[in-house]
Amino acid sequence: RMIYPARRGQNYQLMLPVCYKFPHAFLDEPLYGYVKYQNGMSAGDVTETDKLRRIAEHETILLQTAKQIKMPEAEYQKCLDEIEKRYALQRFYTAIDFRNKKGFICDMDGVIYHGNHILPGAAEFIHWLQDTHKEYLFLTNNSGMTPRELHQKLWRMGLDVPEEHFYTSALATAAFLADQAPGCSVYALGEAGLLNALYDRGITMNDVNPDYVVIGEARAYSLDTLTKATNLVLAGAKLIGANSDTCGPTDEGIAPACRALIAPVEIATGKQAYFCGKPNPLMMRTGLRMLGCHSGEAVMIGDRMDTDVISGMESGMSTVLVLSGVSTRATLDEFAYRPSVVLDGVGDIPRLAQQG
């Protein structure tokens, strides 16, 4: 039904594979409408993975038709290469039976919300976790908020998640320091989440001769605090980062995160920071212990390949990359490893579980 308009207008561009030309707009394109119709799918049943898998078998045929109606050879070859590449990538993906998984560890920024706005499907995902009595934990690298503040943030969005279901990089940092040097002192740059976590572990603040300089996300970050931190490290304090995220999604776009803020101190001092958040195995083991399940029974869900996916993979968990945050499908090409599944967002998980 979509081939005839292209033939009448002799416009080969109408025949280009939608996955190649419009990777994030499948449902809005006539060509995908044709493929969806042929496969008997409704829009509500289609996930990102379904789209790629089911459309691929039609693309070569449609591409050959496009070539017959004056598609340039160079563009034809480029599309063909893209199709072959996608076929190869699909072999790396492993299906997850979400119904039989006991525990779910999930990132928050870019997965559940952007800034102060909940993402589509997040509410359905959380309700599914609760209704099916899954063990779940929100494991976030954001060090700025306490578990209570995270609980209240989701409450304002209409979601009820108890405080015990949150674990932050600030808590992981405080636990690491309390284990390494009980009763130590620190010079800390961060928000309430980090400062409270340190105090709760008996760690004191010291801007004269601290044992550690600890840096998290900080609105009060300035040249003065940066200079202070640099000189304390040069004087012998060890450098600790709450997490290694370079950036994170906000309502305005992208904001620098902990790794970006700590980089000037590393460069100025020649010292490398130790990062306590994801993908540090210490944080992942704590998360699994809190869930009370083995890594083979758990799923790690996040929007970053370099923290979420790798931390889950190296811990032996199934991994889900969602495209609702900082990553795109093109991001996969930058890494030698793959997630188990790539989805539009966490809202796809209840639908896949229901479909079996």
Side-chain angles (χ1 to χ4, degrees), residues 23 54 68 86 94 113 127 136 162 166 189 204 217 227 235 251 278 303 353:
R54 301 189 186 190
Q68 295 172 8
R86 185 158 51 256
T94 304
Y113 55 69
H127 293 151
Y136 66 96
F166 300 98
L189 295 179
T204 58
E217 288 77 10
T227 301
D251 289 337
K278 295 175 295 184
D303 68 321

Side-chain angles (χ1 to χ4, degrees), residues 60-292:
T60 303
I61 297 173
L62 294 170
L63 188 58
Q64 291 170 350
T65 305
K67 185 179 180 182
Q68 295 172 8
I69 51 177
K70 303 180 181 179
M71 183 181 194
E73 180 65 29
E75 192 155 5
Y76 169 79
Q77 192 59 50
K78 185 176 181 181
C79 287
L80 190 60
D81 290 344
E82 192 73 17
I83 294 170
E84 291 174 352
K85 180 180 179 182
R86 185 158 51 256
Y87 273 127
L89 290 181
Q90 283 299 318
R91 291 199 298 271
F92 287 98
Y93 297 138
T94 304
I96 300 175
D97 186 349
F98 293 108
R99 296 171 303 174
N100 291 331
K101 290 295 183 179
K102 178 181 177 182
F104 290 77
I105 296 180
C106 187
D107 188 27
M108 298 191 72
D109 295 326
V111 179
I112 301 299
Y113 55 69
H114 277 172
N116 292 311
H117 300 285
I118 193 168
L119 287 168
E124 291 80 0
F125 170 65
I126 292 174
H127 293 151
W128 175 78
L129 290 173
Q130 296 171 338
D131 292 343
T132 55
H133 307 290
K134 301 292 186 182
E135 300 294 335
Y136 66 96
L137 181 69
F138 289 108
L139 198 73
T140 175
N141 262 355
N142 189 326
S143 65
M145 302 179 75
T146 66
R148 177 168 296 182
E149 288 169 336
L150 290 169
H151 160 74
Q152 291 173 345
K153 179 171 184 172
L154 290 189
W155 179 265
R156 290 192 293 270
M157 296 178 184
L159 301 173
D160 185 12
V161 178
E163 290 179 39
E164 60 267 23
H165 289 281
F166 300 98
Y167 192 70
T168 71
S169 65
L171 295 173
T173 300
F176 170 77
L177 293 177
D179 179 69
Q180 290 282 303
C184 66
S185 66
V186 303
Y187 175 70
L189 295 179
E191 299 298 319
L194 179 60
L195 300 179
N196 285 353
L198 295 170
Y199 281 129
D200 287 345
R201 286 287 188 156
I203 298 168
T204 58
M205 300 297 135
N206 179 353
D207 64 356
V208 178
N209 57 347
D211 301 299
Y212 297 91
V213 169
V214 180
I215 299 179
E217 288 77 10
R219 295 186 184 91
Y221 186 87
S222 67
L223 181 59
D224 288 341
T225 57
L226 177 63
T227 301
K228 184 73 172 179
T230 298
N231 285 293
L232 290 173
V233 172
L234 289 173
K238 298 176 180 65
L239 185 58
I240 300 293
N243 64 75
S244 58
D245 286 0
T246 57
C247 62
T250 68
D251 289 337
E252 292 76 31
I254 294 294
C258 184
R259 184 68 180 85
L261 300 180
I262 207 170
V265 180
E266 290 182 312
I267 295 170
T269 62
K271 306 291 186 180
Q272 294 296 309
Y274 180 78
F275 296 98
C276 299
K278 295 175 295 184
N280 192 318
L282 293 174
M283 188 173 185
M284 299 307 298
R285 284 201 291 269
T286 299
L288 287 170
R289 188 166 60 250
M290 292 174 69
L291 286 182

